[in-house]
Amino acid sequence: MSTTQERTEEQDLPYDVFSRACPSRGTLEHVTGRWGALTLGALHEGSFRFNELRRRVDGVSEKMLSQTLHALERDGLVHREAQPTNPPRVDYELTALGREVAERLIALIECLEGRMDDVLASRERYDARVRA
Amino acid sequence: MSTTQERTEEQDLPYDVFSRACPSRGTLEHVTGRWGALTLGALHEGSFRFNELRRRVDGVSEKMLSQTLHALERDGLVHREAQPTNPPRVDYELTALGREVAERLIALIECLEGRMDDVLASRERYDARVRA
DNA sequence: CAGGATCCCCGATGATACTG
DNA sequence: CAGTATCATCGGGGATCCTG
């Protein structure tokens, strides 16, 4: 297998997110988008109903959550389980594919959360340098 | 234990991206943003000059690349090495922290690229279902 | 409760021109 | 080459109202 070092030598990969036209770029944006990432992250912890999810993903509006869930469901990352009861009950959970993706996303998020002190320190240094 | 939040075993983490006010959310957006993710992905392959990077990240404008690089540099993920020659030469490369983050990001991207066939298949099923 | 439909605004983004 | 400055735009995204 090709080394991960030289992407230039991976010409045989059918999908390349670095190419403007590749559909993988769209999916990447769904996954890493403002609300997509947080939604997948939340669903990684279990199954949730719409409004549970909305409270979990602090700040998301109904519209954006709905829209985000649709995009993720369409991409096959999220499964929507609706029960035709009254009042309605709908549960969302990750698919197998969704779990794979969320796993990587969580790793990224936790890495970031764990390094925020460094990030904030870097910002202060940067701002001090620029102010001069 | 906790009543509202059940972030499994990480209750003591000082930074929580799920909270609207947490600065980690901003950094996550720099990292996973439209151009941030691709820029980090490109820089994971080595050191690049401004216009090299611009060609690599297909579709990015000068302004957005510049802006993205500034944000990543400020967060301490990217190092900018400028040589006061004429014509000027500036190289960008990941910092140690940037490599850690990029590593996770690459894992996510490659996971996605490798599963795009499933994603596209899921989309077709979804669209067919909706069309009915 | 789970969302769809609408209105509307502001900020992200692109295009262009200019500079050291 | 490596950007910055400026202007115009387009759609992401919030607020609100409505329905099954």
Side-chain angles (χ1 to χ4, degrees):
Chain A
M1 195 151 121
S2 61
T3 66
T4 49
Q5 185 66 0
E6 298 281 334
R7 176 162 285 274
T8 354
E9 292 175 1
E10 297 178 21
Q11 295 299 325
D12 51 342
L13 257 185
Y15 300 106
D16 176 16
V17 81
F18 287 95
S19 163
R20 187 176 359 194
C22 184
S24 64
R25 186 179 285 194
T27 301
L28 178 64
E29 281 169 21
H30 292 159
V31 170
T32 63
R34 182 151 181 218
W35 303 119
L38 296 177
T39 301
L40 286 176
L43 286 174
H44 183 248
E45 295 159 28
S47 174
F48 289 95
R49 303 178 61 174
F50 188 82
N51 282 303
E52 286 176 337
L53 220 39
R54 196 154 123 68
R55 280 186 293 274
R56 210 125 203 345
V57 181
D58 188 25
V60 69
S61 68
E62 290 185 0
K63 192 179 88 171
M64 292 317 297
L65 180 57
S66 171
Q67 190 172 302
T68 299
L69 285 169
H70 278 311
L72 294 177
E73 187 192 358
R74 191 169 102 101
D75 285 350
L77 304 176
V78 164
H79 174 68
R80 180 178 188 275
E81 187 77 33
Q83 288 165 33
T85 61
N86 191 331
R89 178 189 179 101
V90 181
D91 290 88
Y92 292 93
E93 59 185 343
L94 295 181
T95 62
L97 176 52
R99 273 189 296 279
E100 278 189 53
V101 172
E103 211 82 38
R104 266 84 171 184
L105 196 58
I106 294 287
L108 176 64
I109 288 175
E110 289 183 349
C111 171
L112 238 34
E113 285 179 344
R115 303 294 239 114
M116 274 310 289
D117 286 330
D118 296 312
V119 169
L120 295 180
S122 170
R123 284 189 190 171
E124 287 190 20
R125 267 179 277 122
Y126 182 93
D127 292 345
R129 209 180 314 141
V130 169
R131 214 187 322 280
Chain B
M1 198 59 54
S2 74
T3 52
T4 53
Q5 300 275 8
E6 299 231 353
R7 201 99 196 283
T8 57
E9 66 281 345
E10 310 154 29
Q11 292 301 319
D12 51 346
L13 258 184
Y15 300 104
D16 177 15
V17 81
F18 287 94
S19 163
R20 185 179 358 197
C22 185
S24 65
R25 187 180 284 194
T27 301
L28 178 64
E29 281 169 20
H30 292 158
V31 170
T32 62
R34 183 153 181 214
W35 303 120
L38 297 176
T39 301
L40 286 177
L43 285 174
H44 184 249
E45 295 157 30
S47 173
F48 289 95
R49 304 177 61 174
F50 188 82
N51 282 303
E52 285 177 338
L53 219 38
R54 195 156 122 73
R55 279 186 292 275
R56 216 149 174 35
V57 180
D58 189 24
V60 69
S61 68
E62 290 184 1
K63 193 178 82 172
M64 292 316 298
L65 180 58
S66 171
Q67 191 172 304
T68 299
L69 286 169
H70 279 310
L72 295 177
E73 187 193 357
R74 190 169 103 100
D75 284 350
L77 304 176
V78 164
H79 174 69
R80 179 178 188 275
E81 186 78 31
Q83 288 165 33
T85 61
N86 191 328
R89 179 188 176 101
V90 181
D91 290 87
Y92 291 93
E93 58 185 344
L94 295 181
T95 62
L97 176 53
R99 273 190 295 279
E100 278 188 55
V101 172
E103 211 82 37
R104 267 82 172 186
L105 195 58
I106 294 289
L108 176 64
I109 288 175
E110 287 183 350
C111 171
L112 238 34
E113 285 179 344
R115 304 292 240 111
M116 275 310 290
D117 285 331
D118 296 312
V119 169
L120 295 180
S122 170
R123 284 189 190 172
E124 288 191 19
R125 268 178 278 122
Y126 182 93
D127 292 344
R129 208 180 315 142
V130 169
R131 213 187 324 279

